[in-house]
Amino acid sequence: MIYLEDLEVGQTTYFGSYEVTREEVIEFARKYDPQPFHLSDEAAAKTHFGRLAASGWHTCAMTMAVIARHVVATEQAGLGSPGIDDLRWLKPVFPGDTLHVSSRITDVRPSRSKPEIGSFRSATTVTNQDEVPVLTFTSIVLMRRRPGGPGER
């Protein structure tokens, strides 16, 4: 199990990759972001995208899928997240792209009010298959401290 004490500022993690499919882009758009350039090649061709593009929110969901699978597989003592900061969609994501998700820890701190937990911040970057950044954000993650450590009551 990975606990807060196991994390260090500067530590980097590669979470994995995600292959973007046309079917999934359209399905997500139909349900959650039905703008024409996410649904139709013809409509998208008339925009700055030039072709069918994934919703930014879909890009966030694909990113979360990659991160969550990694967190579960590596057995981290995570307790969820109170949110993210500085979300930026830098470049469009297209069907056929392969997204790669990585992060660098920028801050680790024990909670002042709940000694059994703490939080860390990480700068997350999503790149496409050409190593071009398409999405960035700062995540805030709550995590348990090691049992029997200084945070134990």
Side-chain angles (χ1 to χ4, degrees):
M1 182 68 64
I2 297 170
Y3 293 95
L4 187 73
E5 291 81 4
D6 299 317
L7 306 179
E8 294 180 14
V9 171
Q11 182 178 339
T12 61
T13 301
Y14 175 73
F15 293 102
S17 63
Y18 195 101
E19 303 222 1
V20 183
T21 68
R22 174 183 171 76
E23 297 74 27
E24 195 173 334
V25 167
I26 293 170
E27 179 184 352
F28 185 95
R30 279 191 186 126
K31 284 183 173 181
Y32 305 110
D33 192 354
Q35 297 181 75
F37 44 84
H38 298 317
L39 293 167
S40 158
D41 291 309
E42 296 76 24
K46 297 174 187 172
T47 70
H48 64 286
F49 295 120
R51 58 188 168 127
L52 188 71
S55 164
W57 295 113
H58 185 197
T59 304
C60 290
M62 292 183 278
T63 299
M64 187 62 208
V66 172
I67 292 170
R69 287 181 189 122
H70 182 272
V71 167
V72 169
T74 57
E75 297 185 9
Q76 297 183 21
L79 296 170
S81 171
I84 62 172
D85 292 330
D86 305 317
L87 172 66
R88 296 290 180 267
W89 293 293
L90 305 171
K91 296 283 183 189
V93 170
F94 301 108
D97 281 353
T98 300
L99 303 179
H100 297 274
V101 183
S102 61
S103 73
R104 181 179 48 79
I105 294 176
T106 59
D107 184 49
V108 179
R109 62 179 65 183
S111 170
R112 287 185 223 143
S113 61
K114 297 180 181 173
E116 69 278 6
I117 69 171
S119 66
F120 71 92
R121 289 178 175 265
S122 62
T124 301
T125 302
V126 181
T127 59
N128 65 19
Q129 65 281 354
D130 299 319
E131 299 182 13
V132 174
V134 299
L135 172 70
T136 59
F137 60 89
T138 300
S139 62
I140 307 155
V141 179
L142 302 176
M143 186 170 250
R144 283 179 287 184
R145 298 186 70 191
R146 185 173 307 286
E152 188 106 339
R153 289 183 186 181

